[in-house]
Amino acid sequence: MSSIATALKVNPEVSVSHSASPMKIVVVGHVDHGKSTLVGRILNETGALPEGKVEYLKEVCDKRGMPFEWAFVMDALQAERDQGITIDTAQIRFRSEARPYVIIDAPGHKEFLKNMVSGAASAEAAVLVIDAHEGVQEQSRRHGYLLHLLGLRQIAVAVNKMDLVDFSQARFEEVKAEIVAYLNSIGVEPTYVIPVAARSGANIASVAAETPWYKGPSVLGALDLFEPAKPLTDLALRFPVQDVYKFDERRIIAGRIESGRLKVGDTLVFAPSGKMAKIATIETWGNVASAVSAGAGQSVGITLDEQIFVERGNVASLELHAPNQSHDLKARVFWLGKGPLKVGSRYKLKLATAEHVVDVVAIERVIDVEDLANHQGSEVARNAVAEVVFRGKSPIAHDSFIDNPRLGRFVLVEGYDIVGGGVIAEASSDEARNRSTHVTEVPHKVDAETRAIANGHRGGVVWLTGLSGAGKSTIAMEVERQLFLKGWQVTVLDGDNVRTGLCGDLGFSDSDRVENIRRVGEVAHLFAEAGMVVVTSFISPFRADREKVRAINPDAFHEIHVTTGLDECERRDPKGLYKKARAGEINDFTGVSSAYEAPALPELALATEGKSVDESVADLLRYIDNAFSLSAREQANGWGL
């Protein structure tokens, strides 16, 4: 997603040159409560209007016999925009003594909300205008809800037209109490509530004599007291992994630093796995010398001090400032799909370099973009805004948009089409981060070498992968029996067996298969650490999943591809599964309706076609004996002989 929705063309007459980044603000309020007058007055007080503009408008008013209104300034600028004279269609700029500002504006709620909710634009502060005479109206509440929708925390309420109520403190306090109570009810806390008469300029640029009872800042003073957004380099490190490249002995993790900084020696934690390692080097393109640090906006490659499994979509952060992780996301969405967004619908959610399959589990509120009315609903129509709860099949690393917009916005994809954009309203619980920081590994007092000497062989994982019917289980069980007869510490983890217990809660969708292999991989390596040879029998169709298991302990992992072809597997069909899959009785069946990714470089390719079971078993036993047995010298050294 771009950070700017449209190319901005700035009118040099209205713009103010500046060196610092402008603070982005929004000004909202009922159409008759003086929003345009207030903005026009601010532009005049700060000298942002073109020279002679006000005098010209006053002359026109005199000729027509009508009083001059500051709102005419905005009308004139709007007319110029409509005619293409003033070509800044989205932003109005001015500058106080403290800093420059940009008022984010748009011709209509729809475009405004689309930019704001999709994260294409973002405001740092807001001014809510309320007529002191009319008081809080329904539109005032709807605009207040808009501030809640945008997640704004810095808000100035301008109680305008105080001149119509003779600058009455009692009336001001009455209006203030009502709007503050409403805003608090929706979770919004106004920072300042200011009595204002935009027409006369009272409390716009300086504190007015008409309100001696008011001790707060003027409107411009309040804006100057607001905190500017932090630069991206000052935010927590977010380094989404774009890809992993292997050069010679280096394994380079490449990506763009979205926020924060990193340096050689930093300990990174990768979400969602929680794996940790230190940065060994920082590689940058086009530079002979390696960098020692890098910051937001830079694309870099890094190497780590140890080999851990990292893949595209992972997010690296510093250990104490990891992103939140959860299956559920509460988000504000601008919906662009041809069909409505409905509860139960499934989409692909793209956040940084990660892609997650998510279901819509709740639509909490739908906002009408024409009048900002909001209501509950079960579906969201095209061009509508809604507060939606998504649930992912896997944990989603994220921040709230307010905390870190680079990891707080996303797009939704259906098929190959982008159907919506949104921002994350609330960061969910950080259970994964707590797990990684509050768990202390307790070392064993019996090491792997001692176990190997006692057993006469090393421990390890012999991972059999291949299609259903390839012969994995048959071979694994016979290998276990023969190794056991030789006195080896050996066991088999079989696909069907683990699904009766350890993985009994999982189905056969892609996400469940991933979780199945993750659990089995962790268990297999625990057995291997205990000195056992663990022979596993799993289709394990996805290459990435097997690589994750290898990454737990690459030295102990041995991938064995049982290479029996699909035709032969289907001919054997010992459980009748292929027949059921062809009949449509089994969904997502590997080789028929789901893909199998064969190993690129397995430690052993075990052919079974044209061979007896005994011959295949013998081939695997020879490999295991060579790979795991201790030599006579190793055993002698181990026993101190």
Side-chain angles (χ1 to χ4, degrees), residues 53-66:
K53 175 65 71 177
V54 174
E55 289 73 16
Y56 169 74
L57 291 174
K58 286 182 176 178
E59 183 180 337
V60 171
C61 289
D62 289 341
K63 290 180 179 178
R64 296 180 180 178
M66 56 191 299

Side-chain angles (χ1 to χ4, degrees), residues 327-619:
H327 287 77
D328 288 356
L329 285 185
K330 186 173 182 178
R332 292 157 186 147
V333 172
F334 192 93
W335 184 247
L336 300 169
K338 295 179 181 177
L341 178 148
K342 297 180 179 179
V343 173
S345 299
R346 177 171 293 184
Y347 304 101
K348 183 186 296 179
L349 184 149
K350 291 188 174 183
L351 196 164
T353 58
E355 296 183 358
H356 301 275
V357 176
V358 297
D359 295 324
V360 178
V361 296
I363 298 173
E364 297 190 337
R365 199 160 293 274
V366 180
I367 296 92
D368 188 319
V369 297
E370 298 299 333
D371 62 4
L372 297 182
N374 62 81
H375 58 84
Q376 293 184 326
S378 59
E379 62 180 49
V380 183
R382 184 181 177 88
N383 291 329
V385 171
E387 294 182 275
V388 179
V389 179
F390 296 102
R391 179 163 299 158
K393 294 293 182 184
S394 55
I396 301 171
H398 67 279
D399 293 303
S400 75
F401 184 75
I402 295 299
D403 291 336
N404 191 331
R406 310 304 294 188
L407 207 64
R409 61 190 180 194
F410 58 85
V411 296
L412 295 168
V413 177
E414 185 175 34
Y416 297 100
D417 299 325
I418 293 177
V419 290
V423 299
I424 297 170
E426 297 175 7
S428 301
S429 63
D430 49 1
E431 54 188 10
R433 182 175 57 184
N434 288 338
R435 278 205 306 271
S436 66
T437 56
H438 296 295
V439 174
T440 302
E441 188 172 349
V442 180
H444 289 276
K445 293 187 177 181
V446 181
D447 60 23
E449 185 178 355
T450 304
R451 294 178 192 275
I453 292 169
N455 294 331
H457 62 84
R458 301 178 182 83
V461 178
V462 181
W463 191 274
L464 271 60
T465 176
L467 294 169
S468 177
K472 302 182 298 299
S473 296
T474 302
I475 294 170
M477 294 302 182
E478 181 59 21
V479 166
E480 179 192 37
R481 190 182 75 85
Q482 295 203 28
L483 288 176
F484 180 79
L485 291 176
K486 291 172 61 178
W488 283 43
Q489 300 294 316
V490 59
T491 192
V492 170
L493 295 177
D494 180 77
D496 284 356
N497 293 355
V498 299
R499 283 184 178 274
T500 64
L502 176 67
C503 302
D505 59 326
L506 301 176
F508 289 88
S509 66
D510 286 356
S511 58
D512 281 354
R513 287 175 182 232
V514 170
E515 175 61 14
N516 182 51
I517 297 304
R518 187 194 70 80
R519 294 182 192 179
V520 171
E522 294 287 351
V523 170
H525 278 284
L526 288 175
F527 278 118
E529 287 181 15
M532 302 185 75
V533 172
V534 186
V535 184
T536 71
S537 173
F538 293 86
I539 297 172
S540 47
F542 304 125
R543 193 175 297 130
D545 297 340
R546 300 192 298 266
E547 287 303 306
K548 289 179 182 177
V549 177
R550 180 190 294 273
I552 297 172
N553 185 352
D555 293 337
F557 184 83
H558 299 254
E559 189 176 41
I560 312 298
H561 183 199
V562 183
T563 62
T564 314
L566 177 61
D567 290 342
E568 175 62 16
C569 291
E570 195 161 0
R571 185 193 66 77
R572 295 176 183 174
D573 202 10
K575 302 174 185 175
L577 299 178
Y578 282 98
K579 186 177 181 181
K580 291 181 179 179
R582 295 294 183 191
E585 298 176 20
I586 301 176
N587 296 324
D588 302 321
F589 191 80
T590 303
V592 176
S593 52
S594 184
Y596 176 77
E597 298 172 355
L601 292 170
E603 273 72 15
L604 175 66
L606 192 62
T608 66
E609 293 178 67
K611 291 185 176 181
S612 66
V613 172
D614 288 345
E615 289 175 310
S616 296
V617 168
D619 289 343

Side-chain angles (χ1 to χ4, degrees), residues 81-95:
R81 285 201 290 263
D82 293 343
Q83 296 172 28
I85 299 171
T86 302
I87 51 180
D88 181 352
T89 59
Q91 303 187 355
I92 301 169
R93 297 174 183 267
F94 68 93
R95 180 181 185 120

